[in-house]
Amino acid sequence: MTTQYRPGDAQLVVLQPRHLSGQVLPISVDSVVLGRNRDRRFSLDDPHVSRTHAVIRRAGGQVLIEDLGSSGSTSINGTPIAQASSLHDGDLITLATVQLRYETADQDHQATFVAVPPPPHHTDPAPSVRYHLGDQHAGVVSNVGHDQYNAYVMQRQSFLAEVAAAKTKASVLAWLGFALFVAGAATWGAVVVRFIKTIPETGTDTGTEDIHFLGPEVLGVPLGVIALGTAGLGATLLIIGIVRHITASSRRRRLEREMPLYFPPTRH
């Protein structure tokens, strides 16, 4: 279908993610709300986009975009915006993980929205691939791309949750081990100091022959033995916790590398 642009008309073209790539929104009214709300004329069906994410409006001969308090933020050419900002031809708009290109039309320009390449007799150099989709009608609509994308995100979140739980357990284990080691070492030090104080300064008998260097018994076990065992257990738990924490951090880095959330922008 062919649409005659008025002077100053513009459009948004979705670049990423793949299951939304090619969608086109002609901006021919004074205000357009972008978001995941299915009641809107232009819905971005992506879980990271807020229901009412941003608004594009005309003001004083300019086209402005403003974030509507979204959770994923809005940016222009990689720079987050904190207030209404003007748009220029070719600007790359990012709404959470969705990327769009803002395009303006010349005064006498006509845009053709087709989903096929130029005809064979076209002699000009082949342009960059661009899909302009207008009204589509089909008996069955495939949602495979969307389902695959949602499954990918859910799987990634599941892996991140497992890594976070492993890091939490490792931290608890390490801190418990540290506490036991400190308690055992302090108790052993107290036993040693007590024994040293009982050693007579002269060779005379002071009645301290019943004092053992391992300290008094607790439930039939010398206190020094309990202290050494507690310190050894604490050291073991501390080492295990540190090793598990390092392993979990390594898994997190590998996950971010192998399953990135943000797709690289398409270059034209």
Side-chain angles (χ1 to χ4, degrees), residues 28-244:
S28 56
V29 294
D30 292 335
S31 178
V32 177
V33 176
L34 305 178
R36 188 165 41 85
N37 191 339
R38 294 182 181 271
D39 296 334
R40 300 292 176 181
R41 184 163 57 92
F42 184 69
S43 177
L44 297 173
D45 190 11
D46 185 274
H48 299 91
V49 176
S50 300
R51 291 179 62 84
T52 53
H53 197 106
V55 61
I56 294 180
R57 65 177 185 270
R58 299 178 184 273
Q62 290 185 319
V63 177
L64 305 177
I65 184 171
E66 181 178 2
D67 188 84
L68 296 178
S70 65
S71 59
S73 75
T74 302
S75 64
I76 301 177
N77 299 323
T79 302
I81 61 174
Q83 56 187 0
S85 303
S86 59
L87 289 173
H88 304 88
D89 185 30
D91 281 346
L92 183 64
I93 303 171
T94 303
L95 311 178
T97 57
V98 174
Q99 296 175 340
L100 313 95
R101 184 176 59 252
Y102 175 74
E103 299 177 349
T104 59
D106 296 333
Q107 183 170 355
D108 297 326
H109 177 69
Q110 288 190 348
T112 302
F113 299 94
V114 294
V116 295
H121 64 271
H122 189 71
T123 57
D124 294 337
S128 302
V129 176
R130 184 178 301 171
Y131 299 97
H132 298 281
L133 302 179
D135 294 336
Q136 301 294 312
H137 302 277
V140 178
V141 178
S142 174
N143 202 31
V144 173
H146 173 64
D147 292 340
Q148 289 177 344
Y149 179 76
N150 283 343
Y152 173 87
V153 173
M154 293 177 62
Q155 184 182 31
R156 185 179 186 275
Q157 293 299 327
S158 176
F159 288 161
L160 287 175
E162 292 179 4
V163 172
K167 292 183 69 174
T168 300
K169 293 178 181 178
S171 297
V172 172
L173 199 63
W175 280 111
L176 176 61
F178 178 77
L180 290 176
F181 176 79
V182 171
T187 303
W188 171 249
V191 170
V192 172
V193 171
R194 179 177 181 275
F195 176 76
I196 292 176
K197 287 183 177 180
T198 60
I199 298 177
E201 297 180 356
T202 63
T204 60
D205 184 10
T206 59
T208 60
E209 57 273 12
D210 293 333
I211 298 179
H212 196 273
F213 75 98
L214 290 178
E217 292 185 353
V218 178
L219 299 178
V221 181
L223 182 59
V225 175
I226 297 176
L228 290 176
T230 302
L233 176 62
T236 302
L237 294 179
L238 177 61
I239 293 174
I240 294 175
I242 292 175
V243 171
R244 292 183 63 175

